[in-house]
Amino acid sequence: MTRIKRGYIARRRRKKISLFASSFRGAHSRLTRTITQQRIRALVSAHRDRDRKKRDFRRLWITRINAVIRGVGVSYSYSRLVHNLYKKQLLLNRKILAQIAISNRNCLYMISNEIRK
């Protein structure tokens, strides 16, 4: 009887999975079952943290705007600024406001003084 060699499809699938996990440590990059489990965990974390990143950046922008805007007056805050922006129908999102707050505080002060009138 001659020796029968197996096909390449399963090997190709495992190779693809092991290339994904090549940077993992220990058995997580060597054993097929463990690689599969870690791959699922990694993809779940990546999916979850894509949404988390949006939340975290929004929090950071709000914190930066609030820190700068409280320097204007004691009773003035981020929520009042955003409320006044909506009333005046100024379309400035939080990312742009945070960049203005970091790079050019006087510009943000001018914007807040204009919309307060």
Side-chain angles (χ1 to χ4, degrees), residues 37-94:
Q37 293 168 357
Q38 289 304 308
R39 179 171 172 259
I40 292 169
R41 276 190 70 164
L43 293 175
V44 165
S45 296
H47 183 264
R48 180 192 63 227
D49 292 339
R50 273 196 295 275
D51 291 335
R52 190 71 188 261
K53 185 169 70 169
K54 294 172 182 66
R55 270 182 258 158
D56 290 343
F57 269 107
R58 184 183 166 101
R59 283 180 63 189
L60 176 69
W61 297 331
I62 290 172
T63 306
R64 285 179 175 172
I65 296 165
N66 199 22
V68 171
I69 211 67
R70 281 185 184 272
V72 175
V74 177
S75 63
Y76 205 57
S77 66
Y78 163 80
S79 59
R80 288 205 176 104
L81 173 74
V82 172
H83 178 70
N84 290 337
L85 281 171
Y86 277 110
K87 277 201 310 194
K88 296 283 183 176
Q89 294 180 342
L90 280 175
L91 299 173
L92 289 173
N93 62 12
R94 286 158 185 84

